[in-house]
Amino acid sequence: MEFQGFPRIHSIFYAVFDIIKGTIVKHQVPEGSITPQTHNMTSSLTIDPAQQNNKTLIDFEAISEYIIPKKQLYKRLVTVCTNGYKVMGCPIVLHDHERYRHFRNEFRFNLCFVFEQDAETSSYEAVVRKLSRVLEGLELECNFLSKDVSPDSQTIQNVIEQLFEDLNSYCECQIPINTFNTINLKLFPTYPNPQTVYDYHVPVCTVDMKKMMNSNWDITVQKVASLINGIYHVKRIAELANVKPEWARQSIEHMMYYGCIILTDIFQYSNVYAVKPEITRLFDPRYGLAQECLHYIMLPNAPEIPIERIYALYCGLKYGLTVKDWIEEQQLTLLQVDER
């Protein structure tokens, strides 16, 4: 579950519906990345070499009907893939007979992000939705998008320029709009949903939960986490913590989501185990598993045994050999090792 970083934004553009021209791009960063570059250069950003000679990233006309779409798709996240790129936006429509009488009584717009087609963009979905809500609120409050603004005030072009630079460079941004409004955004990694937890599962910590835990944690999660020892199954943990089994399962799923624990089956002497090639990590100093393993498997106050012997014990596990037979074969009782 290692986080690989956020994908790079290749372009951000702001599109509106014009009653004569249809869907048009009013602002874009970098300039000329979505529609051919004009002579009126309002952007202060350096032009990407890929956009020189009027070469755009995508064919905007081919997807314009999805940028300002039918009414069924308004206020929904819309993603379109074209020409090796992924365009993500959340279109908005506002109805007002007085305010938008020159726009056929409605104002339609969309702020879109462009990524590589294969990029993992789940972390940006909340950002795109929030931006659409914020811009909708600014428009309703002070006509931020539809009115003519003075040169010294913040404009949508300034906003998308700062979004492009800050999100790509710092994964967060803070953009003051006026005295009362500021756009605050921060990217957070997303992980896949954890597997379903059952009463017979045994949680095993992958981190030191005691060092991570603090008084701000949920009380139920604290109770459950303090009882995870790699031996108790979920139902037993719920009984000892005096919480409902479903609460214990939810707490463990929460810790699994953040990679704090993994699940294994209940230990039985009739179980059969076999090692995987990753066992060689035991000797790799980068992982520091050797001392951690010795501390984990030795009985209290027992003398440590060489890590090579531990490696041989693990390699003795194989298909067709039960844990009971393995203990007898390796004479584990003489080593003061906790086989669990």
Side-chain angles (χ1 to χ4, degrees):
M1 206 189 306
E2 184 179 353
F3 178 59
Q4 300 297 326
F6 299 108
R8 177 171 179 79
I9 304 171
H10 285 267
S11 177
I12 301 177
F13 66 93
Y14 168 70
V16 298
F17 183 79
D18 185 277
I19 59 175
I20 298 175
K21 300 178 182 178
T23 303
I24 60 171
V25 175
K26 289 199 69 175
H27 301 285
Q28 55 187 313
V29 176
E31 190 73 28
S33 58
I34 304 301
T35 56
Q37 179 182 335
T38 61
H39 294 290
N40 183 19
M41 296 286 292
T42 58
S43 173
S44 62
L45 296 179
T46 303
I47 301 173
D48 193 312
Q51 279 85 59
Q52 290 183 355
N53 301 322
N54 291 335
K55 183 180 180 181
T56 60
L57 296 176
I58 61 175
D59 182 359
F60 179 75
E61 294 299 326
I63 64 168
S64 60
E65 61 179 315
Y66 301 104
I67 302 303
I68 304 294
K70 303 295 183 183
K71 62 180 180 179
Q72 292 85 352
L73 294 178
Y74 282 103
K75 293 191 177 182
R76 296 179 181 272
L77 192 70
V78 178
T79 302
V80 182
C81 292
T82 178
N83 197 33
Y85 290 95
K86 180 189 297 185
V87 182
M88 181 188 298
C90 187
I92 298 293
V93 60
L94 301 174
H95 300 277
D96 192 311
H97 294 291
E98 291 296 327
R99 184 183 294 181
Y100 306 125
R101 58 183 180 274
H102 300 301
F103 302 98
R104 293 180 181 172
N105 303 325
E106 63 182 18
F107 182 63
R108 291 183 274 178
F109 69 90
N110 196 357
L111 184 68
C112 298
F113 288 64
V114 181
F115 309 91
E116 290 184 1
Q117 183 169 322
D118 298 329
E120 172 51 56
T121 55
S122 55
S123 298
Y124 277 94
E125 292 178 1
V127 168
V128 173
R129 288 193 179 99
K130 180 178 180 179
L131 271 173
S132 68
R133 294 194 303 268
V134 170
L135 292 178
E136 178 184 11
L138 288 171
E139 172 62 20
L140 292 173
E141 179 182 323
C142 58
N143 296 332
F144 177 71
L145 300 174
S146 58
K147 72 176 182 180
D148 292 326
V149 294
S150 58
D152 58 342
S153 63
Q154 187 71 281
T155 66
I156 188 64
Q157 177 68 26
N158 302 139
V159 169
I160 64 174
E161 285 183 4
Q162 190 168 343
L163 284 172
F164 183 82
E165 289 287 353
D166 290 358
L167 291 180
N168 272 334
S169 301
Y170 312 111
C171 303
E172 60 180 304
C173 68
Q174 185 179 64
I175 307 173
I177 302 299
N178 51 38
T179 307
F180 306 103
N181 295 285
T182 301
I183 297 177
N184 292 288
L185 299 172
K186 185 177 178 65
L187 294 173
F188 292 95
T190 56
Y191 302 105
N193 290 330
Q195 69 181 88
T196 303
V197 177
Y198 296 101
D199 290 344
Y200 57 80
H201 278 139
V202 177
V204 179
C205 292
T206 58
V207 295
D208 191 338
M209 298 293 289
K210 293 181 180 178
K211 291 183 178 179
M212 295 180 61
M213 201 181 309
N214 59 56
S215 58
N216 295 321
W217 280 31
D218 179 85
I219 296 176
T220 301
V221 175
Q222 290 188 52
K223 288 182 177 180
V224 171
S226 64
L227 292 167
I228 296 176
N229 60 1
I231 300 173
Y232 294 150
H233 53 77
V234 175
K235 187 174 181 181
R236 179 63 174 159
I237 291 174
E239 292 171 352
L240 294 174
N242 193 26
V243 300
K244 294 181 179 180
E246 55 267 32
W247 292 359
R249 291 194 296 269
Q250 290 176 3
S251 298
I252 289 172
E253 286 181 356
H254 183 76
M255 288 182 276
M256 281 183 62
Y257 179 81
Y258 290 103
C260 298
I261 62 172
I262 58 174
L263 295 180
T264 186
D265 296 322
I266 295 175
F267 176 82
Q268 299 180 86
Y269 288 97
S270 59
N271 288 354
V272 175
Y273 299 96
V275 295
K276 299 173 67 175
E278 288 79 5
I279 188 67
T280 55
R281 292 182 181 179
L282 202 60
F283 293 106
D284 195 330
R286 292 178 301 172
Y287 298 101
L289 293 178
Q291 288 302 317
E292 188 176 344
C293 177
L294 286 171
H295 177 75
Y296 192 77
I297 68 173
M298 300 303 297
L299 293 172
N301 302 318
E304 290 188 357
I305 59 177
I307 191 63
E308 292 78 12
R309 181 68 175 114
I310 299 296
Y311 181 79
L313 289 175
Y314 280 121
C315 292
L317 294 166
K318 55 188 176 182
Y319 293 109
L321 185 68
T322 65
V323 173
K324 181 180 178 181
D325 295 335
W326 173 74
I327 291 174
E328 294 176 354
E329 182 180 288
Q330 300 290 339
Q331 298 181 342
L332 213 63
T333 53
L334 301 177
L335 300 176
Q336 300 187 51
V337 170
D338 187 347
E339 64 273 10
R340 295 176 297 179

